[in-house]
Amino acid sequence: MKKNFLLHGAMFMALAVALGAIGSHALSSKLTEKSMYLFNLGVNYQVYHAIGLLAIGIIFAQFPNKKTLCSGWMMFAGIVGFSGGLYFYAIKQEEWVRSIIPVGGVLLISSWIALIWAIFGKQETANHE
């Protein structure tokens, strides 16, 4: 399982670099200042949490428990919901997506709390690859 988090973290980092380049070169003249801000906010949070996902993959080797596993999947879903929602909203201005973005943010916060709990809480072994 730790390999999944390492792989997903690396993939999210590569995607963040590509999206950052697309934003600054292809979208900067097409989006409003506010939309560019939201797009770049999505890129920044994706980078931070992709690094977090890489860290979870490494930490899982030391603390292979269900809480660490849960933390990784919540971070994965949080990146998709928060950053993905910001990208979609910045480009399409679809109001319905605004309800997804805070859910992604809550998942990101929850993933960090779960990781703290995994590291300092009672250790339970999880099945991992």
Side-chain angles (χ1 to χ4, degrees), residues 99-122:
S99 62
I100 294 171
I101 296 167
V103 173
V106 168
L107 284 168
L108 292 174
I109 294 165
S110 299
S111 71
W112 289 109
I113 293 169
L115 186 60
I116 293 165
W117 191 22
I119 294 168
F120 293 107
K122 181 180 174 187

Side-chain angles (χ1 to χ4, degrees), residues 28-83:
S28 62
S29 63
K30 296 177 181 168
L31 298 180
T32 67
E33 188 175 324
K34 180 180 178 184
S35 290
M36 267 316 296
Y37 170 79
L38 294 174
F39 190 89
N40 287 327
L41 185 65
V43 171
N44 289 337
Y45 272 80
Q46 184 170 328
V47 167
Y48 305 146
H49 290 90
I51 293 168
L53 205 49
L54 290 168
I56 289 170
I58 294 166
I59 292 167
F60 193 78
Q62 182 67 31
F63 300 97
N65 58 57
K66 293 176 184 176
K67 295 172 193 117
T68 310
L69 187 64
C70 184
S71 173
W73 287 116
M74 284 192 295
M75 191 164 293
F76 178 91
I79 292 168
V80 172
F82 188 78
S83 291

